[in-house]
């Protein structure tokens, strides 16, 4: 067995530091006589709270509860799996149709936005020479814009 000895700590001497002491000045507070005030006694009327009874419920016992049966008129697992797979195919087709319709709607929306920009530019060009300029653009009823 190896015998370890703790290292010896050198003696460190810390100088004595004396902090200045502070004393609070003595303040003589005048003594104040506060008269004793008796609060008047107030009689609070008592009233009766009507008693309310909680409604009671009849909880059926487990013996009278209907028993769930999973064996009644169930189709074989393979038939149910095939039906679920067929419904999944229909769902995916419907989702693809929705994606295509959204793409077409987005294209139509972009076309409408471009047409609106073109109209605004053409209207500004046409209104440049009208009374009121581009700001008011005073025009007759049959102009069409």
């Amino acid at each position: 067995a190896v015998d370890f000895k703790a290292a010896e700590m050198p003696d460190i001497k810390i100088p004595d530091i004396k902090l200045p002491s502070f004393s609070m000045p003595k303040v003589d507070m005048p003594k104040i006589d506060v008269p004793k005030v008796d609060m008047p006694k107030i009689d609070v009327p008592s009233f009766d709270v009507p008693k309310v009874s909680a409604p009671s419920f009849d909880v059926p016992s487990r013996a009278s509860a209907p028993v769930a049966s999973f064996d009644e008129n169930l189709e074989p697992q393979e038939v149910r799996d095939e039906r679920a797979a067929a419904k999944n195919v229909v769902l995916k087709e419907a989702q693809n149709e929705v994606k295509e319709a959204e793409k077409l709607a987005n294209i139509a929306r972009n076309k409408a936005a471009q047409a609106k920009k073109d109209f605004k530019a053409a209207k500004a060009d046409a209104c440049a020479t009208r009374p009121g300029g581009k700001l008011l653009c005073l025009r007759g009823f049959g102009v069409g814009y």
Side-chain angles (χ1 to χ4, degrees):
V2 179
D3 191 21
F4 289 105
K5 291 186 179 180
E8 291 183 20
M9 296 296 291
D11 288 335
I12 300 173
K13 294 190 179 188
I14 300 173
D16 245 355
I17 300 173
K18 292 187 178 183
L19 296 174
S21 61
F22 296 100
S23 62
M24 293 295 291
K26 187 175 181 180
V27 178
D28 291 328
M29 296 294 290
K31 189 173 183 180
I32 300 173
D33 290 330
V34 179
K36 186 177 178 184
V37 178
D38 291 329
M39 294 298 290
K41 187 175 181 182
I42 300 173
D43 292 328
V44 178
S46 63
F47 53 91
D48 296 330
V49 177
K51 293 182 180 180
V52 179
S53 62
S56 61
F57 297 102
D58 293 331
V59 179
S61 64
R62 286 186 169 247
S64 66
V67 178
S69 174
F70 295 109
D71 296 337
E72 294 179 16
N73 302 325
L74 279 183
E75 297 172 338
Q77 185 66 43
E78 294 80 17
V79 173
R80 291 182 283 159
D81 288 343
E82 288 174 10
R83 187 180 320 123
K87 297 287 182 180
N88 190 26
V89 168
V90 171
L91 171 68
K92 289 194 184 242
E93 289 174 356
Q95 286 177 337
N96 287 336
E97 289 176 14
V98 167
K99 284 182 182 179
E100 291 298 321
E102 286 174 346
K103 285 180 185 176
L104 292 175
N106 196 12
I107 292 170
R109 201 172 295 118
N110 290 340
K111 271 185 175 179
Q114 185 60 42
K116 184 176 182 180
K117 287 179 186 177
D118 293 343
F119 164 71
K120 283 187 176 185
K123 180 181 174 187
D125 187 39
C127 286
T129 56
R130 292 247 178 221
K134 291 181 183 180
L135 189 62
L136 291 177
C137 192
L138 298 174
R139 55 197 179 274
F141 290 111
V143 176
Y145 62 94

